[in-house]
Amino acid sequence: MSNEQEHNEEHAPPIKTPKQLITTVVLAFILPIIIILLLVNMVASGTKVGAGSDTLTQEAIGKRIAPVASFELVDANAPKVFKTGEQVYQTVCTACHAAGVAGAPKVGDQAAWAPFIKSGFESMLNVAIHGKGAMPPKGGNPALSDYEVARAVVYMANQSGGSFDEPPAPDADTPAKTEAPQPAAKPGQDPAAPVAAAPPSNAAPAPVKADESENKQAAIDPAGEKLYKSTCFACHGTGVAGAPKFGDKAAWAPYIETGMDAMVKVAIQGKGAMPPKGGATNASDDEIRAAVQYMVDAAK
């Protein structure tokens, strides 16, 4: 009897009550649905963007796919459009005067500007044009006119407690045309006979081979060179406040050893006297990387 009882217990069904049957049927339908929903959610989450992110907006996508360099057609005969004092400050002066780098008076600090304002406009303009101490002439941008530098001086001084008038605009320059001197006749040649004109002094140089030009252009990122010449040169052009000077291999060697990512991180976040992004707050991270690469390439 005991053997028969044990045999019957071994073959007893796992579902013994109606309640167990209903529970089993319900779970058989619900569990697959839950598993399917979880799988769909996992796959879909790979394409989701974090809350508040604008990386997939039309404007953000347009910036990412925009060409690195652009060009603008300018009429060479059109009158020169001078930059305002604020524009010069934002593109050149902000690198030092926004954070007070190397003793530069910080814009808005009336106490720091008071001695300079007291010295007078002409004195400040003379220093700004010719440079003094760690400050290079014209802030390091020789392309600026004296008038544009003057406007920047007035803008910064007036933002810091001064009350200078806007400098008067210069008159349009109209350089007189001069005729090129005719070459002298060779000995024994009739002076009245026509003489072949010598090639002009500003004749175009010999054309560069296509492969050399392409290699040089490929090695320089226009965005990096442009950002350096508009912002970074203010400190790196002369080595202000310990900034490694452009082209100085020895000064750049320790930074190059840390790796490109480390240098770009410092350039973006700022360190010591260097403000974030060198003061070019509108520059993208890619432009900052290009500028760092441009300076590193010059130091190799």
Side-chain angles (χ1 to χ4, degrees), residues 64-164:
R64 289 198 296 272
I65 65 176
V68 175
S70 59
F71 67 93
E72 180 181 358
L73 295 177
V74 178
D75 184 1
N77 297 321
K80 177 178 175 59
V81 178
F82 294 101
K83 293 182 179 179
T84 65
E86 184 177 4
Q87 289 173 333
V88 175
Y89 166 75
Q90 292 293 344
T91 57
V92 178
C93 314
T94 184
C96 294
H97 287 281
V101 173
K106 189 175 180 179
V107 171
D109 188 341
Q110 296 187 12
W113 275 88
F116 299 96
I117 294 175
K118 186 177 180 180
S119 68
F121 171 72
E122 293 298 334
S123 176
M124 290 190 294
L125 178 61
N126 182 62
V127 171
I129 292 177
H130 299 99
K132 183 178 181 181
M135 177 181 174
K138 295 186 177 181
N141 186 358
L144 292 174
S145 67
D146 292 354
Y147 172 61
E148 290 171 318
V149 175
R151 299 182 91 177
V153 170
V154 168
Y155 172 79
M156 291 187 290
N158 288 351
Q159 292 291 318
S160 309
S163 57
F164 296 105

Side-chain angles (χ1 to χ4, degrees), residues 222-251:
E225 184 179 9
K226 180 180 179 181
L227 183 58
Y228 167 78
K229 291 183 177 179
S230 64
T231 302
C232 311
F233 72 92
C235 293
H236 290 282
T238 55
V240 172
K245 190 175 180 181
F246 185 80
D248 189 336
K249 296 182 180 180

Side-chain angles (χ1 to χ4, degrees), residues 246-299:
F246 185 80
D248 189 336
K249 296 182 180 180
W252 277 93
Y255 298 94
I256 295 175
E257 289 180 359
T258 64
M260 177 59 65
D261 291 339
M263 289 188 292
V264 172
K265 183 178 180 180
V266 171
I268 292 175
Q269 298 179 355
K271 185 177 181 181
M274 177 181 176
K277 294 187 176 182
T281 55
N282 294 329
S284 66
D285 291 355
D286 290 338
E287 289 173 328
I288 296 295
R289 177 176 289 273
V292 173
Q293 185 66 60
Y294 174 75
M295 291 186 284
V296 168
D297 290 344

